Amino acid sequence: MTLVLLGDAPQVVRRVPQGEARCEAVLRDLIADHPALLPVHDIDPSYGKVVTVTTELSIPSVGFVDVLLMDEFGRLIVVECKLWRNPQARREVVGQILDYARELSRFAYDDLQRQVSIATKRTGNVLYTLAREAGSNLPEADFVDRVTRDLAAGRFLLLVVGDGIAEGTRRIGEYLRDQPGLAFSFALIEMAEYRHTDADGIARAIMHPRVLAQTVLIERHVIRSEVPGLVIDATSTIAPAGDAVGHRAPSEAGTAWRAFADKLLAEMRFDDPGQPPARNGGMGWVRVPLPGGFYVNVYRSAAEGGLGAQVRFPGAEGEAVAALLREDADAIAAEFASAGLSAPTWVAGDVCTLSLTMASAQPWDGAAEEAQRAWMAKAANQFVNSLRPRLQRLG
């Protein structure tokens, strides 16, 4: 692609070949200095004014976010810069930014504030100060509450910015599967660079950002029903440029589920003192984190007339882990039996799954829901007891 500068003597400006444009660090600093370069409002018009929070934000045990941005309302934008000549520029960069999102979703506001203070070398509520400087009129308590909710939901805008699209990124939807409970949006942005020398002999650069039509916006659909049984899945669909994702008021069923889930999470106890807390993953299910990026998905399905808990092992690495765990299948079954639960079943398919189910006939009155919560809490605890130490040893 070329540009033509019109004037007394039109000048053709050719694009810098992919892989030869600015290095990743320079691209990172360019975005940090000029966040308006990114077409955030083309992706989601509801965002306010975008400001830079920091570069190289440390996410303990994961790595460093290239650029963390935020709008005036506290909505977080995670930016990862990669040149496509880089061998990481395909699957690895997508996995990397998802790792950041997953770990950020475990942060409390204080955790994020601590890491931002370390990166910026500023004290106080840096995020709120930046939001106020950007024009926010939210009271501090409301701002903190909003950011806290977004962190818990994994509600971020994830942007991979590079100098061109590689074939491996066209199938990006498959890399975004198996991320239960994260309500993120994802976009791939091409930052094309053009260089020329003006009439005064000064070298100039023109940056042309655009959202790639192939992978503009990933809408998250968290639960998919399959026969037999309910399978918790995180599928991705690609929306064309300009499509907006509507926001609907909570349904009666959604309100009822949240009330049920709040009680379940309050009652859920784990024998393992190091186990992180469970979280509401969406309509009908909660997620319990396990080592290695795996989760116990504990769910209730009116359509299936029952309850369930399962752990999915996606991809080649997941299959390898599942194979090692299956060697302990008898021991795991005995552990579940000693807890008063049926033995979980290994289910083969596109994704290897360890699953446990229990029928629960309707109507679901108060007594039935109390029994459901007790079973779901017990199942979650036993999955943690059986799998967490084994996964830690494998890691």
Side-chain angles (χ1 to χ4, degrees):
M1 183 184 297
T2 58
L3 299 178
V4 178
L5 299 180
L6 300 179
D8 294 336
Q11 182 180 0
V12 174
V13 181
R14 300 194 181 280
R15 179 176 174 175
V16 177
Q18 295 175 17
E20 297 180 16
R22 297 168 182 264
C23 69
E24 291 163 3
V26 175
L27 181 58
R28 175 203 65 203
D29 294 342
L30 180 68
I31 291 169
D33 292 340
H34 307 282
L37 268 175
L38 297 177
V40 170
H41 299 99
D42 291 343
I43 299 165
D44 188 340
S46 67
Y47 272 79
K49 181 181 179 181
V50 176
V51 297
T52 298
V53 177
T54 188
T55 60
E56 295 297 304
L57 177 74
S58 175
I59 307 295
S61 77
V62 178
F64 292 84
V65 171
D66 282 345
V67 188
L68 181 67
L69 306 175
M70 175 186 71
D71 80 349
E72 61 192 277
F73 308 113
R75 301 171 68 185
L76 299 174
I77 304 165
V78 178
V79 181
E80 188 66 14
C81 302
K82 279 293 179 288
L83 304 186
W84 305 124
R85 70 182 177 209
N86 189 310
Q88 286 186 306
R90 299 187 181 205
R91 184 165 187 156
E92 288 185 21
V93 65
V94 178
Q96 188 174 27
I97 200 168
L98 290 176
D99 285 344
Y100 294 149
R102 191 160 44 239
E103 194 63 27
L104 278 170
S105 72
R106 298 169 182 163
F107 273 27
Y109 186 89
D110 289 348
D111 298 322
L112 179 60
Q113 176 57 41
R114 179 188 63 247
Q115 297 307 118
V116 169
S117 293
I118 292 171
T120 59
K121 297 180 174 56
R122 296 174 61 176
T123 58
N125 193 344
V126 179
L127 292 166
Y128 183 65
T129 299
L130 291 171
R132 292 285 292 178
E133 291 172 355
S136 175
N137 56 7
L138 285 175
E140 185 172 10
D142 292 348
F143 176 86
V144 171
D145 184 59
R146 169 157 195 167
V147 176
T148 300
R149 291 197 307 269
D150 284 351
L151 287 170
R155 191 178 297 113
F156 316 117
L157 176 56
L158 308 180
L159 303 180
V160 173
V161 183
D163 63 339
I165 186 167
E167 179 61 30
T169 61
R170 293 177 188 269
R171 295 176 291 126
I172 208 163
E174 71 181 72
Y175 305 156
L176 298 177
R177 294 178 183 174
D178 311 309
Q179 307 299 324
L182 297 182
F184 63 81
S185 296
F186 180 99
L188 184 67
I189 296 176
E190 179 184 72
M191 189 72 72
E193 182 174 354
Y194 300 81
R195 296 176 189 166
H196 71 101
T197 302
D198 66 16
D200 297 323
I202 300 174
R204 302 289 187 183
I206 300 173
M207 306 303 294
H208 177 211
R210 69 185 181 104
V211 180
L212 295 172
Q214 292 91 337
T215 51
V216 177
L217 178 63
I218 307 298
E219 300 174 20
R220 303 287 296 155
H221 302 280
V222 179
I223 296 185
R224 181 180 71 217
S225 295
E226 294 180 350
V227 179
L230 179 72
V231 174
I232 305 299
D233 198 0
T235 61
S236 302
T237 58
I238 299 175
D243 278 11
V245 181
H247 299 279
R248 294 177 293 179
S251 65
E252 182 178 346
T255 301
W257 165 253
R258 280 195 299 277
F260 178 89
D262 287 347
K263 290 182 180 179
L264 172 61
L265 295 174
E267 296 167 4
M268 195 172 281
R269 298 289 184 271
F270 296 103
D271 297 331
D272 190 326
Q275 172 60 35
R279 289 181 177 171
N280 188 357
M283 178 62 185
W285 65 288
V286 300
R287 67 167 187 165
V288 182
L290 290 173
F294 300 105
Y295 295 89
V296 185
N297 298 311
V298 186
Y299 63 88
R300 180 178 76 167
S301 170
E304 300 297 329
L307 317 173
Q310 61 176 211
V311 180
R312 305 177 74 246
F313 299 90
E317 292 183 3
E319 290 178 4
V321 170
L324 293 172
L325 291 175
R326 280 199 298 269
E327 295 177 1
D328 264 0
D330 291 342
I332 292 173
E335 291 165 5
F336 272 74
S338 67
L341 294 166
S342 301
T345 303
W346 286 99
V347 181
D350 292 339
V351 177
C352 186
T353 304
L354 183 61
S355 178
L356 180 68
T357 60
M358 188 188 83
S360 181
Q362 296 204 47
W364 291 345
D365 56 16
E369 289 198 335
E370 183 177 354
Q372 289 173 349
R373 290 193 298 272
W375 184 91
M376 294 168 81
K378 179 189 285 189
N381 183 52
Q382 189 53 49
F383 268 97
V384 169
N385 287 346
S386 293
L387 297 189
R388 189 168 191 264
R390 290 179 167 90
L391 291 171
Q392 285 176 327
R393 288 196 296 271
L394 292 175

